[in-house]
Amino acid sequence: MRLKIGLLLRSLLVVGSFLGLVVLWSSLSPRPDEPSPLSRMREDRAVNNPLPDRGGNGLALGEDRFKPVVPWPHVEGVEVDLESIRRKNKAGPEQERRAGGGDNQRDVMQRQYLTFKPQTLTYRDPVLRPGVLGNFEPKEPEPHGVVGGPGEKAQPLVLGPEFKHAVQASIKEFGFNMVASDMISLDRSVNDLRQEECKYWHYDENLLTASVVIVFHNEGWSTLMRTVHSVIKRTPRKYLAEIVLIDDFSNKEHLKGKLDEYIKLWNGLVKVFRNERREGLIQARSIGAQKAKLGQVLIYLDAHCEVAANWYAPLVAPISKDRTICTVPIIDVINGNTYEIVPQGGGDEDGYARGVWDWSMLWKRVPLTPQEKRMRKTKTEPYRSPAMAGGLFAIERDFFFELGLYDPGLQIWGGENFEISYKIWQCGGKLLFVPCSRVGHIYRLEGWQGNPPPIYVGSSPTLKNYVRVVEVWWDEYKDYFYASRPESKALAYGDISELKKFREDHNCKSFKWFMEEIAYDVTSHYPLPPRNVDWGEAFAPDSYPTPTSRPSSQSPLLSDQILSPPRVKTTFQ
């Protein structure tokens, strides 16, 4: 009897377990009118991370339901590392096959920029309507940062003798009178130095958007922040995609946690990226181009500037019309002691000048020529310039990458303004100065201790930069540079084969063409120096080295460019 009861209980247990499994399976199986658990997971993911799914053609399905962060389609250029993107997105073999494979696809991406991309967007030319206020002009007077405060309307702030020692200390550390700067509102009003005609230009409102890139190294707080504030205050928000700050290895405390906390006020509009070593202004700008991904145009400003009224539209309009144009604002002078803003000296009767150089490669400004004036219908239209000063300019982002950014062999500071200018002109672009876009810039004062280059750079980085530029772009004209800078003849300037290949691949024009067609006025201001017929070393009779002390010219370790001493210029007529 006990055996029968035990068998019965075991049988009931087995049957109950089986029925329980059936019920559980039924509850997990989707009914025809219910979505599957996988579908529900996809829906939940879409709610939490509302990014559009993409079909096989790469277009967003139901894309009209999503509002993009930026109001333009953004396509990355050749700088994108396709392999890392594939790894990041965990693309499958089928995507690899459709993309043409890893190495083959990279080759295609590299080859596509051997010629520049064509202009695809259409914009109306600006229209001058005398007496009718322009559509980008402020409708009301600019509000003061502090009503009646110091420095408003760019009036000079003159401090008393009691501040003398503090002022001198700030100039030594930062190059400016930071005592006065810290007393002036970050949102101060500025004066309008434009020609009256500038106020009546009307621009296409479908302008390109911009990322403003500002590189700084141990900059004073108020001068840096006033730059940022002025951009935000005087730029229409719909066009300002982001402000990208590149900290080039600063060691000032106020440029660390305080800065990170302060820029949170703008909810992500202002970003800061920090270099892991001192790169110098040139390469830090190239880094800035890589970090600034939202704007269609890159606008570079120095870390001690103030933009003026309606600076944006005139600067970006020519680029919107022609993507191979690079524009430069008219740069006014902010007095580093009093913070008064005045026009630069020199130029023609309207203060307009073209950027050129002398044959030792120093930056110069010369008056606008009659030939350039005849090319314009009005005196406030943009005009051609052979070169830029380098600190302030605007360029389409993709075009800048197609040009290869700055020569990666240029170090710290110097010569990059000429390199990018020559590259633009000789390779099919244009460089325009824009009279109706004005930006104030503070120039360092005497007494500044400077920012010495890092040890790894070595000596004479600027002179080496000049040599790289003339060796790549000046062709036979480089002899005139060496005639003016004979000490540079022996400098090692590194490998330039890739840069010369760039010139060849892009069918860039000769420097002779450039001098005759664009920079035709340089020689009238700075005549060509006589070329050196021969080069050698000169010694006084009592100091001439003995044969045993002179280095052997056959030694493979003593290359002419690396280890020989600077040669003395000797011209034979």
Side-chain angles (χ1 to χ4, degrees), residues 463-475:
L463 195 55
K464 291 176 185 176
N465 290 350
Y466 291 163
V467 174
R468 284 183 69 89
V469 172
V470 300
E471 286 289 338
V472 174
W473 297 102
W474 277 29
D475 303 329

Side-chain angles (χ1 to χ4, degrees), residues 59 70 88 126 131 133 135 140 184 211 222 256 266 277 288 301 323 381 411 421 430 436 486 490 524 554 556 563:
L59 298 176
V70 289
K88 180 178 179 181
L133 194 67
N135 57 333
E140 299 176 355
I184 298 172
S211 297
S222 56
K256 301 302 180 183
W266 292 295
R277 71 168 191 172
L301 297 177
R323 64 182 299 270
E381 291 179 27
Q411 295 181 314
S421 301
K430 296 178 182 178
C436 290
S524 62
Q554 303 302 316
L563 296 180

Side-chain angles (χ1 to χ4, degrees), residues 7 64 68 182 206 209 219 242 269 337 361 414 464 504 559:
L7 181 62
D64 56 336
D182 293 346
N206 192 27
T209 56
E219 187 73 26
E242 59 186 341
L269 177 65
N337 253 320
M361 220 168 186
K464 291 176 185 176
E504 181 181 348
S559 74

